[in-house]
Every structure is written in structure tokens, then in C-alpha cells.
Amino acid sequence: MQRIRLAPDYEISRVIRGGWQMASGHGTLASSDPVADMVVFADAGITTFDCADIYTGVEELIGRFRQHYAGLRGSEALGKIKVHTKFVPDLEVLARISKAHVESVIDQSLRRLHMERLDLVQFHWWDYEVPRWLETAQWLDDLRRSGKIDKVSGTNFDTDHVIEIVKAGVPLTSLQVQYSLLDRRPEKRMAQAAAENNIALLCYGTVAGGFLGDKWLGAPEPIGALENRSLVKYKLIIDDLGGWDLFQSLLGALRRVADRHGVDIATIASAAMLTRPSVAAVIVGARSRSHLAANLAIANVALTAEDEAEIAAALKEANELDGDVYALERDRTGRHGSIMKYNLNKGAA
């Protein structure tokens, strides 16, 4: 597994195991022993885990894993494990947020994860029209200075607001963004701004909820209800990009590239993002160890100029998605924003 330094004292695996699919509400866990699965991933080199305060039960799971891993492998091995969590205040909390509230949520994550200091906290703010987003970022930085957080980062902020946060003196280490072959909005401005401000991009959605996979190659366009909200979200992206025929052309190109490397479409879709400017890592959901081999393969694929050209040709006629990073999703009355859930913490501190 390739590794990369986000800072002189901070190293992660270039494939991050995402925790969203382990949250309660996503059905029964595919594994009967998710802690043991995390041990297998860590031993194989995927030593960075992504979670959030709003992923119900996931911080607690990772906390149990950390304790178990320390007992199995010792404190030196545990030191290589990095946990990236998030601070996502509910929409209804934004207008009345306080420094005390911020600290109480961080303390809650510390307890759940059994940590004395959080490795990296990714801050999200639902509505820029509600003030105090910048002040909240500064409160998180105060907690960094006091020792409760090692690195302060962001998630789903657009370019202008990232620049404002940095100018205010908050040293953002990374930014988690939705970035895939289907959703290339970060290429408009964010990638350049990230490079100029020494911010690493951590990409989620690289397989578009599963759409960028062999299952959908040659499949008819789905009609009616989709299996989950993630598929609904990415189907809207496919529609905006140019529709099902263009999407199938992309899948065909990815299959040809995958054949040359002996892997599947999803592996190529994620590996392609690791070649993009400012991208440090990809976040890949895995509900069990059955996905480990495919996840490990992502960092081992070295795309050739021919591969890149074939992928680019399939996307030549694609439409450009509107707006900067996460702009479509912020419109709560629009097609993309209306399916979001804005109060997953239910207002609780």
C-alpha cells in the first residue's frame, strides 16, 4: 500500500477505508466481526479510517478496534493507525452554535474513539447564509492548539470559503471532496487552490455509490426507486453529465482499461483519481474484508498514457456540472439538495 505525508509529522495510506456503510441505518453489517475486519485491513497496509460524528455507531466501532489492535500489535503499530472523523453540526444547530457546543462534540468523539487527541477533524457547514462558520473553524483550531485535535481539515467547502478559512489563520491540512470521473467539479478551482495552500484532497464517491462498477456495464437504465440514497444521488450526477448512453461509453472504456491491468472497473475508477493534481488519497467504502483485495489493488495500478487517453475520450462529450464543489447539494430545494439529510445529529451536543 502506498503511503503519503500530509504534513511532516502525519502520514496516511493512499487508500482510506470509509466508515459510512458501517453506520446503523444501512442495514445489517456484512461482517459478523467488523473489528476483526479492520485488523485485517490495517495489517494489509490500509491504516487510515474515515468516520464522522453523524455516522451512527462507527466512531464506537473504530474505538473498539483501536483498543483491540493495541493489544494485538502493540503501541508502535497503533501509532500508524490514523482516524479521520468529522464535525458536522446539524442545520438546525448552526444559528445557535457555541464554542462550548463544538468542544462537547469533540469530547464526545474522543470518548467514542478512546483517544486523547483526535488525529484529524473534518469540518462541514450546511448553509453559508447562516453566520459563524468561520468562527467555528477558528474554535476547532483553538482545540488543536489546546491538544484535543492534531489536524483541522474541512469537508465539502467550496473554494472561496476554503481560501477565507486559510486567510483567517486556520491551517487546513486536507479537504474531503466528492471527486470522481463523473463529478469533476474540484478540477475547476479547488485543485489549484489546494496546491497553492498546501491542502491535500481526500476523495470520496470515486465509484459513485457503485455505479462505476462492472455490475452496471451493459445494464438498462434503472427506472423507479433505487436501492439507497447514495445511488439516487449519483444517478442525478449521471443525468446531468449527459445521460445513460454516455455513462455506458465510460464504463466500456473503463472495462477495456481494466482488462489491460487485470482488475475490475471500480479499481480503475478509484486509481484514476490518485493521478489527479492535489489528490492524496481515495476513500473507499468496504463493509467487510471481502473487498480488501480490490481496495489494495487501487494503489498498485499504474495507468498508462493510453489508459488516460481512452478515459478522456469517453468523457469528451460530457457536460460540465454546475457550480463549485458541493454547490448543487447546498440548494435544499434543488434536485441534488432535496435528498440530503441535514440533521443527523438531531441537534444534540
Side-chain angles (χ1 to χ4, degrees), residues 15-23 26 28-31 33-35 37-38 40-42 46 48-50 55 58 61-62 206-207 270 282-296 298:
V15 175
I16 298 172
R17 181 173 176 178
W20 182 72
Q21 293 187 44
M22 294 191 296
H26 290 286
T28 304
L29 284 175
S31 171
D33 194 346
V35 169
D37 281 352
M38 283 185 258
V40 173
F41 272 74
I46 298 178
T48 310
F49 296 81
D50 182 79
Y55 298 173
V58 179
L61 266 178
I62 294 176
T206 58
V207 297
S270 291
V282 295
I283 303 163
V284 182
R287 301 185 72 185
S288 73
R289 70 185 70 181
S290 65
H291 299 282
L292 176 59
N295 289 174
L296 289 171
I298 292 168

Side-chain angles (χ1 to χ4, degrees), residues 12-268:
I12 65 170
S13 52
R14 293 204 76 193
V15 175
I16 298 172
R17 181 173 176 178
W20 182 72
Q21 293 187 44
M22 294 191 296
S24 63
H26 290 286
T28 304
L29 284 175
S31 171
S32 60
D33 194 346
V35 169
D37 281 352
M38 283 185 258
V39 170
V40 173
F41 272 74
D43 285 348
I46 298 178
T47 57
T48 310
F49 296 81
D50 182 79
C51 60
D53 56 341
I54 59 172
Y55 298 173
T56 307
V58 179
E59 285 184 327
E60 291 92 337
L61 266 178
I62 294 176
R64 294 205 300 273
F65 153 70
R66 290 185 72 259
Q67 290 182 309
H68 183 60
Y69 201 68
L72 283 176
R73 305 289 183 253
S75 58
E76 183 176 348
L78 182 63
K80 295 181 180 179
I81 303 297
K82 300 298 182 186
V83 180
H84 296 178
T85 193
K86 300 180 186 72
F87 172 67
V88 186
D90 286 355
L91 178 64
E92 68 178 48
V93 166
L94 303 187
R96 54 186 171 86
I97 199 165
S98 66
K99 188 173 184 178
H101 175 93
V102 174
E103 186 165 11
S104 70
V105 175
I106 295 303
D107 286 343
Q108 175 180 260
S109 293
L110 287 166
R111 289 192 299 271
R112 289 171 170 176
L113 290 163
H114 300 287
M115 301 177 79
E116 295 181 0
R117 181 177 67 176
L118 297 177
D119 293 327
L120 185 143
V121 175
Q122 301 162 118
F123 169 43
H124 175 69
W125 191 265
W126 288 112
D127 188 348
Y128 297 138
E129 296 300 314
V130 181
R132 307 196 93 171
W133 56 269
L134 183 56
E135 194 171 4
T136 301
Q138 292 170 321
W139 290 336
L140 288 168
D141 198 43
D142 289 342
L143 293 172
R144 178 186 66 83
R145 279 188 260 264
S146 72
K148 290 191 175 185
I149 298 172
D150 187 5
K151 308 295 181 190
V152 174
S153 296
T155 181
N156 294 328
F157 276 89
D158 64 23
T159 308
D160 287 337
H161 288 82
V162 165
I163 292 171
E164 286 195 55
I165 290 171
V166 172
K167 285 183 175 179
V170 179
L172 294 180
T173 297
S174 62
L175 188 73
Q176 188 177 135
V177 293
Q178 183 172 295
Y179 193 7
S180 70
L181 293 172
L182 297 177
D183 183 357
R184 295 172 290 166
R185 286 175 287 177
E187 294 175 8
K188 293 181 182 181
R189 298 178 59 214
M190 183 63 77
Q192 181 62 35
E196 291 171 354
N197 291 282
N198 199 30
I199 298 171
L201 298 184
L202 309 178
C203 306
Y204 72 89
T206 58
V207 297
F211 271 122
L212 288 173
D214 287 280
K215 172 184 175 180
W216 291 99
L217 177 61
E221 183 171 5
I223 299 173
L226 288 163
E227 183 180 348
N228 55 56
R229 189 162 49 92
S230 182
L231 288 175
V232 174
K233 177 174 77 166
Y234 291 110
K235 178 57 167 61
L236 291 174
I237 295 290
I238 290 170
D239 293 343
D240 289 353
L241 197 69
W244 198 251
D245 289 344
L246 185 144
F247 172 62
Q248 285 296 317
S249 294
L250 174 61
L251 287 182
L254 293 175
R255 183 62 263 167
R256 291 188 292 274
V257 173
D259 286 341
R260 292 196 284 270
H261 293 274
V263 296
D264 60 14
I265 285 176
T267 297
I268 296 298

